[in-house]
Amino acid sequence: MLKFRKGQVVSHTFLWGYVLFTLFPLVWLLMTSFKTNREITVNTWAFPTNFNFDNYKAAWETAKIGFYAWNSLKVTVIACIVTVLFAAMTSFAISRMKFGRANKLVYNFIMFGLLVPSGALFIPLYRLIQTLTTDYGIKLYDSHLGLILVYSTYALPITVFIIYAFMLSIPNELEEAGIMDGLSATGIFVRIVLPISMPALVTVTILSFIGNWNEYILSQLFITSETLRTLPTGMASFNDGYRTNFASLSAAVIISIIPVLIVYFFLQRQIIEGMTAGSVKG
């Protein structure tokens, strides 16, 4: 019993230390958002002498954080819907329908996308988007449509992986009962499989939302117009040509992470359930 208690003390101490180490950058960023640029320069680690809310006002009005946040919200939500819809249909086809060896081949082809480093696709995707825009007149470069397609493409492999694992655990008897009731494949998918797969669908939606909301590199690569910038690339413009306004930038970062924190705080149980639901069949 004594050894067990000592083990608990050591493990809990380590976990609390890890939590404090993880939260420290967020707390420091929150303190910095209430400082002036002079305070940040003179004493970086001290608490603010006065809680200055002007940084949040400047970030929202002058730096147009609200405008960039709307662009991010639009792109993120549409990309999530497209990703989850196509991933659910693909997972249903390769997990519940029989096409011989084609099921395994399609699944392996999609999973191969998890092995390819994301940076290796930047140049091919850039050339493809530019070619479709300039040579074929399909406005994808410097447009939200192109960014949505790119986001959906990147998120599709991991989304299929999670939904596919969950759909494999659905009993075949439910489909047989649906067939007996006269349901077609579409009816089985919409009325039986999708409702049962809701934990996995919620999980991949949240993960896709967080990933798209925080994404910077692809948005910087494919968006050049000021009016089309998303929130991460919009915050990169906190520069007056000579120096960066760190006070307003810190306030903007705090504003940008609030939606993600709210989503994760209220839906963290669904994320965990969806990640583990397909691990045990039955």
Side-chain angles (χ1 to χ4, degrees):
M1 181 64 69
L2 183 61
K3 291 183 179 179
F4 179 72
R5 290 177 179 176
K6 285 183 178 180
Q8 278 189 328
V9 171
V10 172
S11 62
H12 280 71
T13 302
F14 174 78
L15 290 176
W16 274 111
Y18 177 77
V19 169
L20 294 176
F21 179 78
T22 304
L23 291 179
F24 174 75
L26 182 61
V27 175
W28 176 81
L29 184 66
L30 182 63
M31 292 191 307
T32 304
S33 67
F34 292 107
K35 294 181 180 180
T36 63
N37 282 312
R38 178 175 176 78
E39 285 183 288
I40 296 173
T41 305
V42 173
N43 200 335
T44 305
W45 307 106
F47 284 92
T49 55
N50 295 305
F51 286 91
N52 182 18
F53 288 91
D54 292 338
N55 295 328
Y56 288 89
K57 183 178 179 181
W60 188 265
E61 296 178 356
T62 306
K64 300 185 293 186
I65 288 300
F67 179 77
Y68 296 138
W70 168 248
N71 285 341
S72 282
L73 183 63
K74 180 172 61 175
V75 171
T76 298
V77 170
I78 297 176
C80 286
I81 294 174
V82 172
T83 302
V84 174
L85 179 61
F86 278 91
M89 291 189 295
T90 303
S91 300
F92 174 74
I94 61 180
S95 65
R96 313 303 301 181
M97 305 176 73
K98 305 301 181 182
F99 298 102
R101 294 184 179 180
N103 295 68
K104 197 66 175 179
L105 289 175
V106 173
Y107 177 75
N108 290 338
F109 177 76
I110 296 175
M111 290 303 101
F112 181 75
L114 295 175
L115 304 177
V116 180
S118 58
L121 301 177
F122 289 165
I123 294 178
L125 273 176
Y126 183 82
R127 294 295 302 272
L128 175 62
I129 295 293
Q130 272 203 331
T131 301
L132 291 174
T133 301
T134 57
D135 296 348
Y136 296 94
I138 304 175
K139 180 63 175 176
L140 295 180
Y141 183 75
D142 195 26
S143 71
H144 284 164
L145 175 59
L147 193 60
I148 289 169
L149 293 178
V150 172
Y151 282 174
S152 301
T153 302
Y154 268 90
L156 195 61
I158 185 62
T159 306
V160 171
F161 176 76
I162 296 174
I163 300 177
Y164 173 83
F166 189 93
M167 287 186 178
L168 281 179
S169 65
I170 299 176
N172 293 328
E173 289 76 9
L174 295 177
E175 293 183 23
E176 295 172 358
I179 294 174
M180 294 294 294
D181 290 338
L183 292 179
S184 62
T186 303
I188 293 173
F189 173 68
V190 174
R191 300 180 63 178
I192 298 178
V193 176
L194 277 186
I196 296 176
S197 304
M198 195 55 63
L201 298 179
V202 172
T203 298
V204 296
T205 300
I206 296 171
L207 295 178
S208 179
F209 179 89
I210 295 175
N212 294 341
W213 182 268
N214 294 326
E215 201 284 321
Y216 172 79
I217 298 178
L218 294 173
S219 179
Q220 184 73 8
L221 186 64
F222 293 106
I223 299 295
T224 58
S225 299
E226 177 74 20
T227 57
L228 297 177
R229 285 183 175 179
T230 58
L231 189 55
T233 54
M235 289 191 298
S237 62
F238 274 76
N239 194 306
D240 59 5
Y242 298 97
R243 64 186 178 88
T244 300
N245 189 341
F246 288 106
S248 297
L249 178 60
S250 300
V253 173
I254 292 296
I255 294 174
S256 69
I257 65 177
I258 288 176
V260 176
L261 291 178
I262 292 174
V263 169
Y264 190 81
F265 179 79
F266 287 102
L267 299 176
Q268 56 180 315
R269 179 175 296 179
Q270 284 80 357
I271 295 177
I272 297 173
E273 289 178 355
M275 293 293 289
T276 58
S279 59
V280 180
K281 189 171 182 178

Coordinates of all heavy atoms in Angstrom, one line a residue, residues 175-242:
E175 N -28.0 -4.1 -41.0 CA -28.1 -3.9 -42.4 C -29.1 -4.9 -43.0 O -29.9 -4.6 -43.9 CB -26.8 -4.0 -43.1 CG -25.8 -2.9 -42.8 CD -24.5 -3.1 -43.6 OE1 -24.5 -3.7 -44.7 OE2 -23.5 -2.5 -43.2
E176 N -29.0 -6.1 -42.5 CA -30.0 -7.2 -43.0 C -31.4 -6.8 -42.7 O -32.3 -7.0 -43.5 CB -29.6 -8.5 -42.4 CG -28.2 -9.0 -42.9 CD -27.8 -10.3 -42.1 OE1 -28.5 -10.7 -41.2 OE2 -26.7 -10.8 -42.4
A177 N -31.6 -6.3 -41.5 CA -33.0 -5.8 -41.1 C -33.4 -4.7 -42.0 O -34.6 -4.6 -42.4 CB -33.0 -5.4 -39.6
G178 N -32.5 -3.8 -42.4 CA -32.9 -2.7 -43.3 C -33.2 -3.2 -44.6 O -34.2 -2.7 -45.3
I179 N -32.5 -4.2 -45.1 CA -32.8 -4.8 -46.4 C -34.2 -5.5 -46.4 O -35.0 -5.4 -47.4 CB -31.7 -5.8 -46.8 CG1 -30.4 -5.0 -47.0 CG2 -32.1 -6.5 -48.1 CD1 -29.2 -6.0 -47.3
M180 N -34.5 -6.1 -45.3 CA -35.8 -6.8 -45.2 C -36.9 -5.8 -45.2 O -38.0 -6.1 -45.6 CB -35.8 -7.6 -43.9 CG -34.9 -8.8 -43.9 SD -35.3 -10.1 -45.1 CE -36.9 -10.6 -44.4
D181 N -36.6 -4.6 -44.7 CA -37.6 -3.5 -44.7 C -37.7 -2.8 -46.0 O -38.5 -1.8 -46.2 CB -37.3 -2.5 -43.6 CG -37.6 -3.1 -42.2 OD1 -38.4 -4.0 -42.1 OD2 -37.0 -2.6 -41.2
G182 N -36.9 -3.2 -47.0 CA -36.9 -2.6 -48.3 C -36.0 -1.4 -48.5 O -36.2 -0.6 -49.5
L183 N -35.1 -1.2 -47.6 CA -34.2 -0.1 -47.8 C -33.1 -0.3 -48.9 O -32.6 -1.5 -49.0 CB -33.5 0.3 -46.5 CG -34.3 0.8 -45.3 CD1 -33.5 1.0 -44.1 CD2 -35.0 2.1 -45.8
S184 N -32.8 0.7 -49.7 CA -31.7 0.6 -50.6 C -30.4 0.9 -49.9 O -30.3 1.1 -48.7 CB -31.9 1.6 -51.7 OG -31.9 2.9 -51.2
A185 N -29.3 0.8 -50.7 CA -28.0 1.1 -50.1 C -27.9 2.5 -49.5 O -27.4 2.8 -48.5 CB -26.9 0.9 -51.1
T186 N -28.5 3.5 -50.3 CA -28.6 4.9 -49.8 C -29.4 5.0 -48.5 O -29.0 5.7 -47.6 CB -29.2 5.8 -50.9 OG1 -28.4 5.7 -52.1 CG2 -29.2 7.2 -50.4
G187 N -30.5 4.2 -48.5 CA -31.4 4.3 -47.3 C -30.7 3.7 -46.1 O -30.8 4.2 -45.0
I188 N -29.9 2.6 -46.3 CA -29.2 2.0 -45.2 C -28.1 3.0 -44.7 O -27.9 3.1 -43.5 CB -28.5 0.7 -45.6 CG1 -29.6 -0.4 -45.9 CG2 -27.5 0.1 -44.6 CD1 -29.1 -1.6 -46.5
F189 N -27.4 3.6 -45.6 CA -26.4 4.6 -45.3 C -27.0 5.8 -44.5 O -26.4 6.2 -43.4 CB -25.7 5.1 -46.5 CG -24.7 6.2 -46.3 CD1 -23.5 6.0 -45.6 CD2 -25.0 7.5 -46.8 CE1 -22.6 7.0 -45.4 CE2 -24.1 8.5 -46.6 CZ -22.9 8.3 -45.9
V190 N -28.1 6.3 -44.9 CA -28.6 7.5 -44.3 C -29.4 7.2 -43.0 O -29.3 8.0 -42.0 CB -29.5 8.3 -45.3 CG1 -30.2 9.5 -44.7 CG2 -28.7 8.7 -46.5
R191 N -30.1 6.1 -43.0 CA -31.1 5.9 -41.9 C -30.5 5.0 -40.8 O -31.0 4.9 -39.7 CB -32.4 5.3 -42.5 CG -33.1 6.3 -43.4 CD -34.4 5.7 -44.0 NE -35.3 5.5 -42.9 CZ -36.6 5.1 -43.1 NH1 -37.0 4.8 -44.3 NH2 -37.4 4.9 -42.1
I192 N -29.5 4.2 -41.2 CA -28.9 3.3 -40.2 C -27.5 3.6 -39.8 O -27.1 3.8 -38.7 CB -29.1 1.8 -40.7 CG1 -30.5 1.4 -40.9 CG2 -28.4 0.8 -39.8 CD1 -30.7 0.0 -41.5
V193 N -26.6 3.6 -40.9 CA -25.2 3.7 -40.6 C -24.8 5.1 -40.1 O -24.0 5.2 -39.1 CB -24.4 3.3 -41.9 CG1 -22.9 3.5 -41.6 CG2 -24.7 1.9 -42.3
L194 N -25.3 6.1 -40.7 CA -24.9 7.5 -40.3 C -25.3 7.8 -38.8 O -24.5 8.3 -38.1 CB -25.5 8.5 -41.2 CG -24.7 8.8 -42.5 CD1 -25.3 10.0 -43.3 CD2 -23.2 9.1 -42.2
P195 N -26.6 7.5 -38.4 CA -26.9 7.8 -37.0 C -26.1 7.0 -36.0 O -25.7 7.5 -35.0 CB -28.4 7.3 -37.0 CG -28.9 7.5 -38.4 CD -27.8 7.1 -39.2
I196 N -25.8 5.7 -36.4 CA -25.0 4.9 -35.4 C -23.5 5.5 -35.4 O -22.9 5.4 -34.4 CB -25.0 3.4 -35.9 CG1 -26.4 2.9 -35.8 CG2 -24.0 2.6 -35.0 CD1 -26.5 1.5 -36.2
S197 N -23.0 6.0 -36.5 CA -21.7 6.5 -36.6 C -21.5 7.9 -36.1 O -20.4 8.5 -36.3 CB -21.2 6.4 -38.1 OG -21.3 5.1 -38.6
M198 N -22.5 8.4 -35.5 CA -22.5 9.8 -35.0 C -21.3 10.2 -34.1 O -20.7 11.2 -34.3 CB -23.8 10.2 -34.4 CG -24.0 11.7 -34.2 SD -23.8 12.6 -35.8 CE -25.2 11.9 -36.7
P199 N -20.9 9.3 -33.2 CA -19.7 9.6 -32.3 C -18.4 9.8 -33.2 O -17.7 10.8 -32.9 CB -19.6 8.4 -31.4 CG -20.9 7.9 -31.3 CD -21.6 8.1 -32.7
A200 N -18.2 9.0 -34.2 CA -17.1 9.1 -35.0 C -17.2 10.4 -35.9 O -16.2 11.1 -36.1 CB -16.9 7.9 -35.9
L201 N -18.4 10.7 -36.4 CA -18.6 11.8 -37.2 C -18.3 13.1 -36.4 O -17.7 14.1 -36.9 CB -20.0 11.8 -37.8 CG -20.4 10.7 -38.7 CD1 -21.8 10.8 -39.2 CD2 -19.4 10.6 -39.9
V202 N -18.8 13.1 -35.2 CA -18.6 14.3 -34.3 C -17.1 14.5 -34.1 O -16.5 15.6 -34.1 CB -19.3 14.2 -33.0 CG1 -18.9 15.3 -32.0 CG2 -20.8 14.2 -33.2
T203 N -16.4 13.4 -33.8 CA -14.9 13.4 -33.6 C -14.2 14.0 -34.7 O -13.4 14.9 -34.6 CB -14.4 12.0 -33.3 OG1 -15.0 11.5 -32.1 CG2 -12.9 12.1 -33.0
V204 N -14.4 13.5 -35.9 CA -13.6 14.0 -37.1 C -14.0 15.4 -37.5 O -13.2 16.2 -38.0 CB -13.9 13.0 -38.3 CG1 -13.3 11.6 -38.0 CG2 -15.3 12.9 -38.7
T205 N -15.3 15.8 -37.2 CA -15.7 17.2 -37.4 C -14.9 18.1 -36.5 O -14.4 19.2 -37.0 CB -17.2 17.3 -37.2 OG1 -17.9 16.5 -38.1 CG2 -17.6 18.8 -37.5
I206 N -14.8 17.8 -35.3 CA -14.1 18.6 -34.3 C -12.6 18.7 -34.7 O -12.0 19.8 -34.7 CB -14.3 18.1 -32.9 CG1 -15.7 18.2 -32.5 CG2 -13.4 18.9 -31.9 CD1 -16.1 17.5 -31.2
L207 N -12.0 17.6 -35.0 CA -10.6 17.5 -35.4 C -10.3 18.3 -36.6 O -9.4 19.1 -36.7 CB -10.1 16.1 -35.5 CG -10.1 15.2 -34.3 CD1 -9.7 13.8 -34.6 CD2 -9.2 15.8 -33.2
S208 N -11.2 18.2 -37.6 CA -11.1 18.9 -38.8 C -11.3 20.4 -38.6 O -10.5 21.3 -39.2 CB -12.1 18.4 -39.9 OG -12.0 19.2 -41.1
F209 N -12.2 20.8 -37.7 CA -12.5 22.2 -37.4 C -11.2 22.8 -36.8 O -10.8 23.9 -37.2 CB -13.7 22.3 -36.5 CG -14.0 23.7 -36.1 CD1 -14.8 24.5 -36.8 CD2 -13.4 24.3 -34.9 CE1 -15.1 25.8 -36.5 CE2 -13.7 25.6 -34.6 CZ -14.5 26.4 -35.3
I210 N -10.7 22.1 -35.8 CA -9.5 22.7 -35.1 C -8.3 22.8 -36.1 O -7.6 23.8 -36.1 CB -9.1 21.8 -33.9 CG1 -10.3 21.9 -32.9 CG2 -7.8 22.2 -33.3 CD1 -10.1 20.9 -31.7
G211 N -8.1 21.8 -36.9 CA -7.0 21.8 -37.8 C -7.1 22.9 -38.9 O -6.2 23.6 -39.2
N212 N -8.3 23.1 -39.4 CA -8.5 24.1 -40.5 C -8.5 25.5 -39.9 O -8.0 26.4 -40.5 CB -9.9 23.9 -41.2 CG -9.9 22.6 -42.0 OD1 -8.9 22.0 -42.3 ND2 -11.1 22.1 -42.2
W213 N -9.0 25.7 -38.7 CA -9.0 27.0 -38.0 C -7.6 27.5 -37.8 O -7.3 28.7 -37.9 CB -9.8 26.9 -36.7 CG -10.0 28.2 -36.0 CD1 -9.2 28.7 -35.0 CD2 -11.0 29.2 -36.2 NE1 -9.6 29.9 -34.6 CE2 -10.7 30.3 -35.3 CE3 -12.1 29.3 -37.1 CZ2 -11.5 31.4 -35.2 CZ3 -12.9 30.4 -37.0 CH2 -12.6 31.5 -36.1
N214 N -6.7 26.6 -37.4 CA -5.4 27.0 -37.0 C -4.4 26.9 -38.2 O -3.2 27.3 -38.0 CB -4.8 26.1 -35.9 CG -5.6 26.2 -34.6 OD1 -6.1 27.3 -34.3 ND2 -5.8 25.2 -33.9
E215 N -4.8 26.5 -39.3 CA -3.9 26.3 -40.4 C -3.4 27.6 -41.0 O -4.1 28.6 -41.2 CB -4.6 25.5 -41.6 CG -3.7 24.8 -42.5 CD -3.0 25.8 -43.5 OE1 -3.7 26.7 -43.9 OE2 -1.8 25.6 -43.8
Y216 N -2.1 27.7 -41.2 CA -1.4 28.9 -41.7 C -0.7 28.8 -43.1 O -0.9 29.6 -43.9 CB -0.4 29.4 -40.7 CG 0.4 30.5 -41.1 CD1 -0.1 31.8 -41.1 CD2 1.8 30.3 -41.6 CE1 0.7 32.9 -41.6 CE2 2.5 31.4 -42.0 CZ 2.0 32.7 -42.0 OH 2.8 33.7 -42.5
I217 N 0.1 27.7 -43.2 CA 0.9 27.6 -44.4 C 0.2 27.6 -45.7 O 0.4 28.3 -46.7 CB 1.9 26.4 -44.3 CG1 2.8 26.5 -43.0 CG2 2.7 26.2 -45.5 CD1 3.7 25.4 -42.8
L218 N -0.8 26.7 -45.8 CA -1.6 26.5 -47.0 C -2.4 27.8 -47.3 O -2.5 28.2 -48.5 CB -2.6 25.4 -46.9 CG -1.9 24.0 -46.8 CD1 -3.0 22.9 -46.5 CD2 -1.2 23.6 -48.1
S219 N -2.9 28.4 -46.3 CA -3.6 29.7 -46.5 C -2.7 30.8 -47.1 O -3.0 31.6 -47.9 CB -4.3 30.2 -45.2 OG -5.0 31.4 -45.4
Q220 N -1.5 30.8 -46.5 CA -0.5 31.8 -47.0 C -0.1 31.5 -48.4 O 0.3 32.4 -49.2 CB 0.7 31.8 -46.0 CG 1.8 32.8 -46.3 CD 1.4 34.2 -45.9 OE1 0.4 34.4 -45.3 NE2 2.2 35.2 -46.3
L221 N -0.1 30.2 -48.8 CA 0.4 29.8 -50.1 C -0.6 30.1 -51.2 O -0.2 30.5 -52.3 CB 0.8 28.3 -50.0 CG 1.4 27.7 -51.3 CD1 2.8 28.4 -51.5 CD2 1.6 26.2 -51.1
F222 N -1.9 29.8 -50.9 CA -2.9 29.9 -51.9 C -3.8 31.1 -51.9 O -4.6 31.3 -52.8 CB -3.8 28.7 -51.8 CG -3.1 27.4 -52.1 CD1 -2.8 26.5 -51.1 CD2 -2.8 27.0 -53.4 CE1 -2.1 25.3 -51.4 CE2 -2.1 25.9 -53.7 CZ -1.8 25.0 -52.7
I223 N -3.6 32.0 -50.8 CA -4.4 33.2 -50.8 C -3.5 34.4 -50.8 O -2.6 34.5 -49.9 CB -5.3 33.2 -49.5 CG1 -6.3 32.1 -49.5 CG2 -6.0 34.5 -49.3 CD1 -7.3 32.1 -50.5
T224 N -3.7 35.3 -51.7 CA -2.9 36.5 -51.8 C -3.7 37.8 -51.5 O -3.1 38.8 -51.1 CB -2.2 36.6 -53.2 OG1 -3.3 36.6 -54.2 CG2 -1.3 35.5 -53.4
S225 N -5.0 37.8 -51.8 CA -5.8 39.0 -51.6 C -6.1 39.3 -50.1 O -6.3 38.4 -49.4 CB -7.2 38.8 -52.3 OG -7.0 38.6 -53.7
E226 N -6.0 40.5 -49.8 CA -6.2 40.9 -48.4 C -7.6 40.6 -47.9 O -7.8 40.2 -46.8 CB -6.0 42.5 -48.3 CG -6.3 43.0 -46.9 CD -5.2 42.7 -45.9 OE1 -4.0 42.3 -46.4 OE2 -5.4 42.8 -44.7
T227 N -8.6 40.7 -48.8 CA -10.0 40.5 -48.4 C -10.3 39.0 -48.2 O -11.4 38.7 -47.7 CB -11.0 41.1 -49.4 OG1 -10.7 40.5 -50.7 CG2 -10.8 42.6 -49.5
L228 N -9.5 38.1 -48.7 CA -9.7 36.7 -48.6 C -8.9 36.0 -47.5 O -9.0 34.8 -47.3 CB -9.4 36.0 -49.9 CG -10.3 36.4 -51.1 CD1 -9.9 35.7 -52.4 CD2 -11.8 36.1 -50.8
R229 N -8.1 36.7 -46.8 CA -7.2 36.1 -45.8 C -8.0 35.5 -44.7 O -9.0 36.0 -44.3 CB -6.2 37.2 -45.3 CG -5.1 37.5 -46.2 CD -4.2 38.5 -45.5 NE -3.0 38.8 -46.4 CZ -2.0 39.6 -46.0 NH1 -2.1 40.3 -44.9 NH2 -1.0 39.9 -46.8
T230 N -7.5 34.4 -44.2 CA -8.0 33.7 -43.0 C -7.4 34.3 -41.8 O -6.5 35.1 -41.8 CB -7.8 32.2 -43.0 OG1 -6.4 31.9 -43.1 CG2 -8.6 31.6 -44.2
L231 N -7.8 33.9 -40.6 CA -7.4 34.5 -39.4 C -5.9 34.4 -39.1 O -5.2 35.3 -38.8 CB -8.2 34.0 -38.2 CG -8.0 34.6 -36.8 CD1 -8.3 36.1 -36.9 CD2 -8.9 34.0 -35.8
P232 N -5.3 33.2 -39.3 CA -3.9 33.0 -39.0 C -3.0 33.9 -40.0 O -2.0 34.5 -39.5 CB -3.6 31.6 -39.3 CG -4.9 30.9 -39.0 CD -5.9 31.8 -39.5
T233 N -3.3 34.0 -41.2 CA -2.6 34.8 -42.2 C -2.9 36.3 -41.9 O -2.0 37.2 -42.2 CB -2.9 34.5 -43.6 OG1 -4.3 34.5 -43.8 CG2 -2.4 33.1 -43.9
G234 N -4.1 36.6 -41.5 CA -4.4 38.0 -41.2 C -3.6 38.5 -40.0 O -3.2 39.7 -40.0
M235 N -3.4 37.7 -39.0 CA -2.6 38.1 -37.9 C -1.1 38.3 -38.2 O -0.4 39.0 -37.5 CB -2.7 37.1 -36.7 CG -4.1 37.1 -36.1 SD -4.2 36.1 -34.6 CE -3.8 34.4 -35.2
A236 N -0.7 37.7 -39.3 CA 0.7 37.9 -39.7 C 1.0 39.3 -40.2 O 2.1 39.7 -40.4 CB 1.1 36.9 -40.8
S237 N -0.1 40.1 -40.4 CA 0.1 41.4 -40.9 C 0.2 42.5 -39.8 O 0.1 43.6 -40.1 CB -1.1 41.8 -41.8 OG -2.3 41.8 -41.1
F238 N 0.4 42.0 -38.6 CA 0.6 42.9 -37.5 C 2.0 43.5 -37.5 O 2.8 43.3 -36.6 CB 0.3 42.2 -36.1 CG -1.1 42.1 -35.7 CD1 -2.0 41.3 -36.3 CD2 -1.6 43.0 -34.7 CE1 -3.3 41.2 -35.9 CE2 -2.9 42.9 -34.3 CZ -3.7 42.1 -34.9
N239 N 2.2 44.2 -38.5 CA 3.6 44.8 -38.7 C 3.4 46.1 -39.4 O 2.8 46.2 -40.5 CB 4.5 43.9 -39.5 CG 5.9 44.2 -39.4 OD1 6.3 45.4 -39.7 ND2 6.8 43.3 -39.1
D240 N 4.0 47.2 -38.8 CA 3.9 48.5 -39.4 C 5.0 48.8 -40.4 O 5.2 50.0 -40.8 CB 3.8 49.6 -38.3 CG 5.0 49.6 -37.4 OD1 6.0 48.8 -37.7 OD2 5.0 50.4 -36.5
G241 N 5.8 47.9 -40.8 CA 6.9 48.1 -41.7 C 8.3 48.2 -41.0 O 9.3 48.0 -41.6
Y242 N 8.2 48.5 -39.7 CA 9.5 48.6 -38.9 C 9.5 47.6 -37.7 O 10.6 47.2 -37.3 CB 9.6 50.1 -38.4 CG 9.7 51.1 -39.5 CD1 8.5 51.8 -39.9 CD2 10.9 51.3 -40.1 CE1 8.6 52.7 -40.9 CE2 11.0 52.2 -41.2 CZ 9.8 52.9 -41.6 OH 9.9 53.8 -42.6

